[in-house]
Amino acid sequence: MSHIFPHAVDSGIHHGGHVQGIAIDEARGHIYFSFTTELVKTDYAGHLLGTVKGLAGHLGCIVFDPEGRRVIGSLELKHDAIGKGIVSRTGRELAAEDAFYLVSFDVDAIDRPDMDAEKDGIMKAVWLREVVEDYNATDEVSGKPHRYGCSGIDGTALGPVFGADPHSPRKIMVAYGIYGDTSREDNDHQVILAYDPDIFDKYGGFLSQDEPHHSGPDVPEAKYFFFTGNTTYGVQNLEYDPFTRTWLTAVYTGSKQDFPNYPMFLIDGSRSPVMVSLKGRAGERGLILTPARLGQMPDEPTPGCRFPLGSTGIYAFGDGTYAFSVPGREEGGFTSRVVRHRLDPEHPQVFSEMP
């Protein structure tokens, strides 16, 4: 029996970094928070049930997988400004290479505070060759570092293949981070990779962050492109909403003056991708996804909405209501207040807070 989610849940104060994402286990009444280098587990009353620490990289958006009883998320171990900031805060040096993983946490084993992601054997990781290669490549169009402007990965979600029956098997969708370099035009797409959830059974291994392993698939099942224009670090949070059959993509807004620079875009999950020439990619072809419009979103080629929440956590309940993370800082630490909203077609921002 599912527990009733309250109007809001407060995470408490944590010190791993600002909140990156949330995941909800409706059957058990648990909520999970990614605080950059720490995974936090509470109940709906905000009581702390456990934490997982010891991460030396960036744990981003997370999603709960009820079939596998696990939380899946993106993990970056890299040496750019983000990686250096984490090293400065944690004091833990990274291995020399840049590595990107999908990670899986055994949620039922998280039963106390201060568990260790490596030593307690509760986290498995799958190395993503496709991301590593795009991150390390020189882009063929601009001649600049990082193909497509790839800064790694962040947004992570579970849902059916684009255009497939809504009850078809779910895939793990993971979105690239995208550097917001305004001097290039080859970085205006969001990039999403699809993987089968069974990759954790096939390739998942316990991760030593001092010696990152390379166990993972050679290629994703599919690679999709979604034209949004410039963003700052790409899709921060990705969430599939079965109620509207849309994928919510929350970003940090871009700064190119040629784009409206929305904080949220929607992908139409009912539409199959189309192979076309990609804008700004000098004739390169790719599978392009179709934007969706809800409520009063503008009728334009790249519509979006001005709803300000979502970049630090989204959960779709599947009934037209949602939980959005509101980040905060208190007493030298970081917080998240997760507040329930509803789809509101009459509201200019598409979503409104529930009473």
Side-chain angles (χ1 to χ4, degrees):
M1 181 179 68
S2 296
H3 295 249
I4 298 175
F5 194 85
H7 170 69
V9 176
D10 291 301
S11 67
I13 301 172
H14 301 278
H15 299 275
H18 82 78
V19 62
Q20 303 283 344
I22 61 171
I24 295 176
D25 177 358
E26 294 185 61
R28 302 287 176 88
H30 296 158
I31 183 166
Y32 298 86
F33 302 83
S34 164
F35 280 97
T36 309
T37 60
E38 178 180 354
L39 184 70
V40 174
K41 177 181 180 180
T42 77
D43 62 18
Y44 282 0
H47 299 135
L48 184 67
L49 301 177
T51 60
V52 180
K53 299 182 179 180
L55 294 172
H58 178 285
L59 178 66
C61 176
I62 55 176
V63 60
F64 179 69
D65 174 15
E67 295 179 7
R69 297 289 311 154
R70 57 193 175 186
V71 162
I72 298 170
S74 58
L75 179 65
E76 301 179 317
L77 304 174
K78 59 180 182 176
H79 297 78
D80 66 354
I82 293 174
K84 290 176 180 178
I86 291 173
V87 168
S88 175
R89 188 169 63 250
T90 63
R92 178 169 176 173
E93 292 293 335
L94 294 173
E97 67 177 283
D98 297 301
F100 303 96
Y101 294 91
L102 282 172
V103 293
S104 170
F105 295 90
D106 180 353
V107 295
D108 295 326
I110 302 174
D111 58 6
R112 62 189 185 277
D114 300 325
M115 300 184 74
D116 190 278
E118 294 181 357
K119 298 176 183 177
D120 286 318
I122 55 176
M123 184 185 81
K124 289 186 177 181
V126 174
W127 184 67
L128 301 184
R129 179 184 298 275
E130 187 84 5
V131 184
V132 173
E133 291 182 351
D134 282 347
Y135 180 83
N136 288 328
T138 297
D139 192 273
E140 296 85 351
V141 175
S142 66
K144 293 194 171 188
H146 313 295
R147 185 180 289 125
Y148 310 116
C150 174
S151 72
I153 48 175
D154 206 338
T156 310
L158 282 165
V161 171
F162 300 102
D165 184 282
H167 302 294
S168 61
R170 297 175 306 162
K171 302 295 182 180
I172 302 171
M173 302 291 183
V174 58
Y176 280 14
I178 305 288
Y179 288 117
D181 186 345
T182 60
S183 67
R184 57 195 292 183
E185 296 181 354
D186 57 333
N187 62 342
D188 290 334
H189 290 85
Q190 305 308 315
V191 182
I192 299 176
L193 307 181
Y195 295 93
D196 195 279
D198 70 2
I199 59 170
F200 288 106
D201 297 325
K202 291 182 177 180
Y203 305 104
F206 295 114
L207 179 63
S208 168
Q209 295 167 104
D210 296 323
E211 299 180 15
H213 70 67
H214 295 169
S215 178
D218 288 336
V219 293
E221 290 194 357
K223 188 171 192 173
Y224 304 104
F225 298 86
F226 181 51
F227 187 79
T228 61
N230 178 237
T231 60
T232 302
Y233 289 119
V235 178
Q236 298 298 304
N237 264 253
L238 182 67
E239 177 75 358
Y240 176 67
D241 174 24
F243 184 76
T244 58
R245 293 189 68 186
T246 60
W247 296 75
L248 283 66
T249 65
V251 305
Y252 294 151
T253 56
S255 53
K256 290 182 180 177
Q257 295 183 358
D258 292 342
F259 299 106
N261 297 316
Y262 293 110
M264 182 179 286
F265 301 89
L266 303 177
I267 301 171
D268 189 340
S270 70
R271 301 281 296 274
S272 297
V274 180
M275 181 68 72
V276 298
S277 294
L278 302 174
K279 295 179 182 179
R281 297 295 308 169
E284 178 184 349
R285 292 172 64 81
L287 290 171
I288 198 79
L289 299 173
T290 302
R293 295 175 178 84
L294 295 177
Q296 298 185 29
M297 287 173 59
D299 184 11
E300 58 186 34
T302 308
C305 69
R306 297 291 180 191
F307 184 66
L309 302 177
S311 62
T312 62
I314 310 169
Y315 181 80
F317 288 96
D319 61 356
T321 67
Y322 310 82
F324 289 100
S325 165
V326 182
R329 296 197 69 165
E330 290 183 34
E331 301 175 15
F334 301 89
T335 64
S336 171
R337 181 172 174 81
V338 180
V339 182
R340 194 155 189 173
H341 287 66
R342 66 180 178 89
L343 184 66
D344 188 351
E346 301 304 317
H347 195 287
Q349 294 181 345
V350 181
F351 306 96
S352 61
E353 184 174 338
M354 294 178 66

